[in-house]
Amino acid sequence: MSVLFKTLGFSLGLTLLFTLVTYLLPQVKGEAPVEKAVDLGSLTMESFIALGDEIFHNKGTCTLCHQPAPLGRAPDIGGEDMVALANKHLADERYQGDAKNAEEYIRESLLHPGKYVVAGWGKKGSNDTESPMPMVDKPPIQLTPIEIDAVIAWLEAKDGGEVTVALPTAEAAAEVASAATADDSGKAPAPATTAEEALAKYACTSCHAMDSNDVLVGPGLVDIGSRLSKEELRQSIVDPNAVVAEGFPPAMPPDFASKMTVSELEMIVNYLAEKKG
Ligand code: HEC
Ligand code: HEC
Protein backbone atom coordinates (compact mmCIF):
# COMPACT_ATOMS: atom_id res chain seq x y z
CA MET A 1 0.00 0.00 0.00
CA SER A 2 2.60 2.57 1.04
CA VAL A 3 4.46 2.35 -2.26
CA LEU A 4 1.22 3.06 -4.01
CA PHE A 5 0.58 6.16 -1.95
CA LYS A 6 4.03 7.60 -2.58
CA THR A 7 3.30 7.58 -6.27
CA LEU A 8 0.02 9.43 -5.86
CA GLY A 9 0.07 13.15 -6.20
CA PHE A 10 -1.62 16.32 -5.36
CA SER A 11 -4.90 15.67 -7.13
CA LEU A 12 -5.52 12.54 -5.11
CA GLY A 13 -5.03 14.57 -1.95
CA LEU A 14 -7.65 17.05 -3.00
CA THR A 15 -10.05 14.37 -4.06
CA LEU A 16 -9.66 12.30 -0.94
CA LEU A 17 -10.23 15.29 1.27
CA PHE A 18 -13.14 16.39 -0.85
CA THR A 19 -14.86 13.04 -0.69
CA LEU A 20 -14.21 12.62 2.99
CA VAL A 21 -15.49 16.08 3.77
CA THR A 22 -18.57 16.15 1.61
CA TYR A 23 -19.69 12.54 1.55
CA LEU A 24 -18.37 10.71 4.52
CA LEU A 25 -18.81 13.09 7.40
CA PRO A 26 -22.45 14.03 6.88
CA GLN A 27 -23.43 10.46 6.20
CA VAL A 28 -21.59 8.82 9.03
CA LYS A 29 -21.99 11.42 11.72
CA GLY A 30 -25.13 13.18 10.56
CA GLU A 31 -23.42 16.56 10.74
CA ALA A 32 -23.23 19.43 8.29
CA PRO A 33 -20.16 19.23 6.03
CA VAL A 34 -17.01 20.40 7.79
CA GLU A 35 -14.62 22.44 5.68
CA LYS A 36 -11.24 21.50 7.14
CA ALA A 37 -9.33 19.62 9.78
CA VAL A 38 -10.67 16.16 9.06
CA ASP A 39 -9.15 13.52 11.28
CA LEU A 40 -8.08 11.16 8.54
CA GLY A 41 -6.31 9.00 11.07
CA SER A 42 -9.60 7.82 12.49
CA LEU A 43 -10.94 6.34 9.25
CA THR A 44 -12.64 3.05 10.08
CA MET A 45 -13.60 0.23 7.72
CA GLU A 46 -17.23 1.10 8.36
CA SER A 47 -16.73 4.67 7.13
CA PHE A 48 -14.59 3.49 4.22
CA ILE A 49 -17.45 1.23 3.10
CA ALA A 50 -19.88 4.15 3.48
CA LEU A 51 -17.56 6.20 1.27
CA GLY A 52 -17.72 3.46 -1.38
CA ASP A 53 -21.52 3.47 -1.17
CA GLU A 54 -21.57 7.24 -1.74
CA ILE A 55 -19.14 7.05 -4.65
CA PHE A 56 -21.19 4.29 -6.30
CA HIS A 57 -24.36 6.38 -6.10
CA ASN A 58 -22.87 9.81 -6.82
CA LYS A 59 -19.40 10.70 -8.04
CA GLY A 60 -18.80 7.32 -9.71
CA THR A 61 -21.94 7.74 -11.87
CA CYS A 62 -22.33 3.95 -11.65
CA THR A 63 -26.11 4.18 -11.27
CA LEU A 64 -26.40 5.90 -14.66
CA CYS A 65 -26.14 2.35 -15.96
CA HIS A 66 -26.28 -0.07 -13.03
CA GLN A 67 -29.93 -0.13 -11.99
CA PRO A 68 -32.72 -2.68 -11.67
CA ALA A 69 -34.66 -3.56 -14.84
CA PRO A 70 -36.36 -2.06 -16.75
CA LEU A 71 -34.33 1.13 -16.26
CA GLY A 72 -30.96 -0.59 -16.09
CA ARG A 73 -28.46 -0.43 -18.92
CA ALA A 74 -26.13 -2.79 -17.08
CA PRO A 75 -26.36 -5.67 -14.59
CA ASP A 76 -28.00 -4.61 -11.31
CA ILE A 77 -24.86 -5.05 -9.21
CA GLY A 78 -26.25 -2.77 -6.50
CA GLY A 79 -29.17 -5.14 -6.00
CA GLU A 80 -27.40 -8.45 -6.51
CA ASP A 81 -24.66 -10.07 -4.46
CA MET A 82 -21.52 -8.92 -6.32
CA VAL A 83 -19.23 -11.43 -4.62
CA ALA A 84 -21.48 -14.29 -5.72
CA LEU A 85 -21.66 -12.83 -9.25
CA ALA A 86 -17.87 -12.52 -9.36
CA ASN A 87 -17.37 -16.13 -8.33
CA LYS A 88 -19.96 -17.28 -10.85
CA HIS A 89 -18.27 -15.40 -13.71
CA LEU A 90 -14.80 -16.58 -12.67
CA ALA A 91 -16.07 -20.13 -13.11
CA ASP A 92 -17.52 -19.38 -16.58
CA GLU A 93 -15.61 -21.04 -19.42
CA ARG A 94 -15.75 -17.72 -21.32
CA TYR A 95 -13.70 -16.06 -18.56
CA GLN A 96 -10.17 -15.33 -19.81
CA GLY A 97 -9.03 -12.57 -17.48
CA ASP A 98 -6.36 -12.67 -14.81
CA ALA A 99 -8.42 -12.51 -11.62
CA LYS A 100 -8.18 -15.29 -9.06
CA ASN A 101 -10.75 -14.16 -6.51
CA ALA A 102 -13.77 -11.88 -6.16
CA GLU A 103 -11.78 -8.77 -5.22
CA GLU A 104 -9.49 -9.16 -8.23
CA TYR A 105 -12.50 -9.84 -10.47
CA ILE A 106 -14.29 -6.69 -9.35
CA ARG A 107 -11.13 -4.59 -9.72
CA GLU A 108 -10.57 -5.99 -13.20
CA SER A 109 -14.20 -5.19 -14.12
CA LEU A 110 -13.57 -1.57 -13.09
CA LEU A 111 -10.18 -1.07 -14.72
CA HIS A 112 -10.41 -3.38 -17.76
CA PRO A 113 -14.13 -3.93 -18.41
CA GLY A 114 -13.47 -5.61 -21.76
CA LYS A 115 -11.60 -8.56 -20.22
CA TYR A 116 -14.88 -10.30 -19.55
CA VAL A 117 -18.22 -9.11 -20.84
CA VAL A 118 -21.31 -10.36 -19.03
CA ALA A 119 -23.46 -12.27 -21.53
CA GLY A 120 -26.13 -10.07 -23.09
CA TRP A 121 -24.54 -6.79 -21.94
CA GLY A 122 -21.86 -6.22 -24.58
CA LYS A 123 -21.74 -3.26 -26.96
CA LYS A 124 -24.45 -3.44 -29.58
CA GLY A 125 -23.27 -5.59 -32.49
CA SER A 126 -20.11 -6.80 -30.72
CA ASN A 127 -21.58 -10.19 -29.77
CA ASP A 128 -20.47 -9.62 -26.16
CA THR A 129 -16.81 -9.12 -27.04
CA GLU A 130 -16.72 -5.39 -26.19
CA SER A 131 -17.97 -3.74 -23.04
CA PRO A 132 -19.86 -0.43 -22.94
CA MET A 133 -18.58 0.07 -19.38
CA PRO A 134 -16.11 2.97 -19.11
CA MET A 135 -12.74 2.45 -17.37
CA VAL A 136 -13.38 4.05 -14.00
CA ASP A 137 -9.83 5.37 -13.50
CA LYS A 138 -10.00 7.35 -16.78
CA PRO A 139 -12.03 10.46 -17.64
CA PRO A 140 -14.89 11.13 -17.35
CA ILE A 141 -15.29 9.06 -14.17
CA GLN A 142 -11.68 9.18 -13.02
CA LEU A 143 -11.79 7.60 -9.59
CA THR A 144 -8.58 7.56 -7.55
CA PRO A 145 -7.08 4.28 -6.32
CA ILE A 146 -8.43 4.94 -2.81
CA GLU A 147 -11.90 5.62 -4.17
CA ILE A 148 -11.77 2.43 -6.22
CA ASP A 149 -10.81 0.47 -3.10
CA ALA A 150 -13.72 2.07 -1.25
CA VAL A 151 -16.19 1.04 -3.99
CA ILE A 152 -14.85 -2.53 -3.94
CA ALA A 153 -15.11 -2.63 -0.14
CA TRP A 154 -18.76 -1.57 -0.39
CA LEU A 155 -19.56 -4.08 -3.15
CA GLU A 156 -18.03 -6.83 -0.99
CA ALA A 157 -19.68 -5.74 2.25
CA LYS A 158 -23.20 -4.82 1.20
CA ASP A 159 -24.47 -8.43 1.10
CA GLY A 160 -22.49 -9.57 4.09
CA GLY A 161 -19.34 -10.68 2.28
CA GLU A 162 -15.85 -10.48 3.75
CA VAL A 163 -14.06 -7.22 2.95
CA THR A 164 -10.66 -8.07 1.54
CA VAL A 165 -9.38 -4.62 0.50
CA ALA A 166 -7.11 -2.85 2.96
CA LEU A 167 -7.97 0.44 4.58
CA PRO A 168 -5.67 3.32 3.56
CA THR A 169 -3.18 3.58 6.44
CA ALA A 170 -3.38 6.62 8.72
CA GLU A 171 0.13 7.55 7.66
CA ALA A 172 -0.74 7.44 3.97
CA ALA A 173 -3.99 9.31 4.47
CA ALA A 174 -2.25 12.01 6.49
CA GLU A 175 0.45 12.38 3.83
CA VAL A 176 -2.23 12.76 1.22
CA ALA A 177 -4.12 15.28 3.35
CA SER A 178 -1.11 17.47 3.98
CA ALA A 179 -0.51 17.71 0.25
CA ALA A 180 -3.96 19.23 -0.22
CA THR A 181 -4.46 22.94 0.14
CA ALA A 182 -8.15 22.37 0.76
CA ASP A 183 -9.39 25.94 0.22
CA ASP A 184 -12.27 25.04 -2.01
CA SER A 185 -12.26 21.29 -1.79
CA GLY A 186 -15.62 21.02 -0.05
CA LYS A 187 -17.62 23.15 -2.43
CA ALA A 188 -19.89 22.05 -5.26
CA PRO A 189 -18.01 21.53 -8.55
CA ALA A 190 -17.44 24.81 -10.40
CA PRO A 191 -19.32 25.35 -13.68
CA ALA A 192 -17.42 23.99 -16.67
CA THR A 193 -15.65 26.61 -18.78
CA THR A 194 -15.41 24.69 -22.06
CA ALA A 195 -17.72 22.30 -23.91
CA GLU A 196 -15.24 19.44 -23.46
CA GLU A 197 -15.18 20.04 -19.71
CA ALA A 198 -18.97 20.10 -19.59
CA LEU A 199 -19.24 16.84 -21.57
CA ALA A 200 -16.85 15.19 -19.12
CA LYS A 201 -18.53 16.70 -16.05
CA TYR A 202 -21.92 15.25 -17.02
CA ALA A 203 -20.43 11.94 -18.19
CA CYS A 204 -21.87 12.36 -21.68
CA THR A 205 -18.72 10.69 -22.98
CA SER A 206 -19.44 7.55 -20.91
CA CYS A 207 -22.37 6.88 -23.17
CA HIS A 208 -21.54 8.71 -26.42
CA ALA A 209 -18.50 8.43 -28.70
CA MET A 210 -17.72 11.96 -29.90
CA ASP A 211 -15.36 11.08 -32.76
CA SER A 212 -17.12 8.15 -34.38
CA ASN A 213 -20.53 6.59 -34.81
CA ASP A 214 -19.65 3.71 -32.49
CA VAL A 215 -22.46 2.86 -30.10
CA LEU A 216 -21.41 2.91 -26.45
CA VAL A 217 -24.73 3.14 -24.60
CA GLY A 218 -26.19 5.84 -26.84
CA PRO A 219 -25.48 6.75 -30.48
CA GLY A 220 -22.10 8.13 -31.58
CA LEU A 221 -22.28 11.90 -32.06
CA VAL A 222 -19.56 12.52 -34.66
CA ASP A 223 -22.07 13.91 -37.20
CA ILE A 224 -24.91 14.87 -34.88
CA GLY A 225 -24.69 18.49 -36.10
CA SER A 226 -25.84 17.44 -39.54
CA ARG A 227 -28.70 15.34 -38.12
CA LEU A 228 -30.17 17.68 -35.51
CA SER A 229 -30.73 21.45 -35.37
CA LYS A 230 -29.61 23.45 -32.34
CA GLU A 231 -33.18 23.48 -31.10
CA GLU A 232 -33.40 19.68 -31.41
CA LEU A 233 -30.02 19.25 -29.74
CA ARG A 234 -31.12 21.36 -26.80
CA GLN A 235 -34.31 19.33 -26.48
CA SER A 236 -32.46 16.02 -26.71
CA ILE A 237 -30.42 17.05 -23.66
CA VAL A 238 -32.97 18.76 -21.40
CA ASP A 239 -35.99 16.65 -22.38
CA PRO A 240 -34.43 13.46 -23.75
CA ASN A 241 -37.59 11.39 -23.72
CA ALA A 242 -39.53 13.79 -25.97
CA VAL A 243 -37.85 12.24 -29.02
CA VAL A 244 -36.02 8.95 -28.56
CA ALA A 245 -33.42 8.02 -31.19
CA GLU A 246 -34.63 5.06 -33.25
CA GLY A 247 -33.37 1.67 -32.14
CA PHE A 248 -32.29 2.88 -28.67
CA PRO A 249 -33.87 2.52 -25.24
CA PRO A 250 -34.89 5.80 -23.55
CA ALA A 251 -31.71 5.68 -21.51
CA MET A 252 -30.56 9.29 -21.30
CA PRO A 253 -30.62 10.62 -17.75
CA PRO A 254 -33.73 12.88 -17.63
CA ASP A 255 -32.41 15.37 -15.07
CA PHE A 256 -29.70 17.35 -16.88
CA ALA A 257 -32.01 20.37 -17.00
CA SER A 258 -31.91 20.65 -13.22
CA LYS A 259 -28.16 20.16 -12.96
CA MET A 260 -26.62 22.20 -15.78
CA THR A 261 -26.04 25.89 -15.90
CA VAL A 262 -27.43 27.70 -18.95
CA SER A 263 -23.92 28.43 -20.17
CA GLU A 264 -22.90 24.77 -19.89
CA LEU A 265 -25.93 23.75 -21.93
CA GLU A 266 -25.24 26.37 -24.61
CA MET A 267 -21.55 25.38 -24.85
CA ILE A 268 -22.54 21.75 -25.36
CA VAL A 269 -25.23 22.61 -27.93
CA ASN A 270 -22.84 24.83 -29.93
CA TYR A 271 -20.12 22.19 -29.78
CA LEU A 272 -22.43 19.40 -30.98
CA ALA A 273 -23.90 21.62 -33.72
CA GLU A 274 -20.39 21.88 -35.20
CA LYS A 275 -20.02 18.09 -35.35
CA LYS A 276 -20.72 17.36 -39.01
CA GLY A 277 -18.74 14.13 -39.44
C1 HEC B 1 -22.01 3.72 -19.22
C2 HEC B 1 -22.57 2.66 -18.47
C3 HEC B 1 -21.82 2.15 -17.23
C4 HEC B 1 -21.30 2.89 -16.20
C5 HEC B 1 -21.31 4.40 -16.01
C6 HEC B 1 -20.73 1.93 -15.26
N1 HEC B 1 -20.89 0.66 -15.73
FE1 HEC B 1 -20.27 -1.06 -14.82
N2 HEC B 1 -20.90 -2.16 -16.43
C7 HEC B 1 -21.64 -1.64 -17.48
C8 HEC B 1 -22.06 -2.74 -18.35
C9 HEC B 1 -22.90 -2.60 -19.62
C10 HEC B 1 -21.55 -3.93 -17.76
C11 HEC B 1 -21.71 -5.35 -18.29
C12 HEC B 1 -20.73 -5.61 -19.41
C13 HEC B 1 -19.40 -6.06 -18.87
O1 HEC B 1 -19.32 -7.15 -18.33
O2 HEC B 1 -18.42 -5.30 -18.99
C14 HEC B 1 -20.81 -3.52 -16.56
C15 HEC B 1 -20.15 -4.40 -15.70
C16 HEC B 1 -19.70 -4.06 -14.43
C17 HEC B 1 -19.18 -5.00 -13.46
C18 HEC B 1 -19.08 -6.50 -13.64
C19 HEC B 1 -20.44 -7.11 -13.34
C20 HEC B 1 -20.47 -8.62 -13.42
O3 HEC B 1 -21.54 -9.20 -13.16
O4 HEC B 1 -19.47 -9.24 -13.73
C21 HEC B 1 -18.87 -4.28 -12.32
C22 HEC B 1 -18.29 -4.82 -11.04
C23 HEC B 1 -19.17 -2.89 -12.62
N3 HEC B 1 -19.68 -2.80 -13.90
C24 HEC B 1 -19.01 -1.85 -11.72
C25 HEC B 1 -19.23 -0.51 -12.02
C26 HEC B 1 -18.97 0.57 -11.09
C27 HEC B 1 -18.48 0.40 -9.66
C28 HEC B 1 -19.24 1.73 -11.75
C29 HEC B 1 -19.06 3.15 -11.26
C30 HEC B 1 -17.76 3.50 -10.73
C31 HEC B 1 -19.71 1.37 -13.09
N4 HEC B 1 -19.69 0.01 -13.20
C32 HEC B 1 -20.11 2.28 -14.07
C33 HEC B 1 -21.94 -0.33 -17.72
C34 HEC B 1 -21.56 0.75 -16.93
C1 HEC C 1 -26.41 6.75 -19.44
C2 HEC C 1 -26.04 7.00 -20.80
C3 HEC C 1 -26.19 8.41 -21.38
C4 HEC C 1 -25.67 9.57 -20.89
C5 HEC C 1 -24.87 9.79 -19.59
C6 HEC C 1 -25.96 10.59 -21.87
N1 HEC C 1 -26.68 10.05 -22.90
FE1 HEC C 1 -27.29 11.03 -24.57
N2 HEC C 1 -28.31 9.35 -25.17
C7 HEC C 1 -28.26 8.12 -24.55
C8 HEC C 1 -29.13 7.19 -25.29
C9 HEC C 1 -29.37 5.72 -24.93
C10 HEC C 1 -29.67 7.92 -26.38
C11 HEC C 1 -30.64 7.38 -27.44
C12 HEC C 1 -32.06 7.37 -26.91
C13 HEC C 1 -32.61 8.76 -26.83
O1 HEC C 1 -32.64 9.46 -27.85
O2 HEC C 1 -33.04 9.16 -25.72
C14 HEC C 1 -29.14 9.28 -26.27
C15 HEC C 1 -29.42 10.30 -27.17
C16 HEC C 1 -28.73 11.51 -27.23
C17 HEC C 1 -28.84 12.46 -28.31
C18 HEC C 1 -29.69 12.30 -29.56
C19 HEC C 1 -28.91 11.47 -30.53
C20 HEC C 1 -29.60 11.21 -31.85
O3 HEC C 1 -28.96 10.56 -32.70
O4 HEC C 1 -30.75 11.64 -32.03
C21 HEC C 1 -28.00 13.52 -28.00
C22 HEC C 1 -27.75 14.77 -28.82
C23 HEC C 1 -27.39 13.21 -26.72
N3 HEC C 1 -27.85 11.98 -26.28
C24 HEC C 1 -26.49 14.03 -26.05
C25 HEC C 1 -26.04 13.80 -24.76
C26 HEC C 1 -25.30 14.77 -23.97
C27 HEC C 1 -24.86 16.15 -24.44
C28 HEC C 1 -25.07 14.18 -22.74
C29 HEC C 1 -24.40 14.79 -21.52
C30 HEC C 1 -24.94 16.06 -21.08
C31 HEC C 1 -25.63 12.84 -22.79
N4 HEC C 1 -26.22 12.65 -24.01
C32 HEC C 1 -25.57 11.92 -21.75
C33 HEC C 1 -27.53 7.80 -23.43
C34 HEC C 1 -26.84 8.71 -22.64
Side-chain angles (χ1 to χ4, degrees), residues 5 14 38 79 83 87 109 119 129-130 132 137 164 195 224 244 250 257 270:
F5 281 105
L14 271 183
V38 185
V83 173
N87 288 325
S109 299
T129 58
E130 288 174 54
D137 59 336
T164 59
I224 190 70
V244 175
N270 291 331

Side-chain angles (χ1 to χ4, degrees), residues 60-62 65-66 74-75 77 89 105 109-110 113 116-118 131-133:
T61 69
C62 317
C65 300
H66 291 283
I77 60 174
H89 295 326
Y105 176 87
S109 299
L110 300 177
Y116 173 85
V117 180
V118 181
S131 174
M133 159 110 181

Side-chain angles (χ1 to χ4, degrees), residues 81-93 95 99-106 109 116 156 161-162 164:
D81 183 333
M82 188 61 231
V83 173
L85 276 181
N87 288 325
K88 181 175 137 204
H89 295 326
L90 282 170
D92 181 352
E93 56 183 19
Y95 182 73
K100 301 279 180 286
N101 55 43
E103 178 190 337
E104 288 175 13
Y105 176 87
I106 298 172
S109 299
Y116 173 85
E156 288 182 328
E162 185 199 344
T164 59

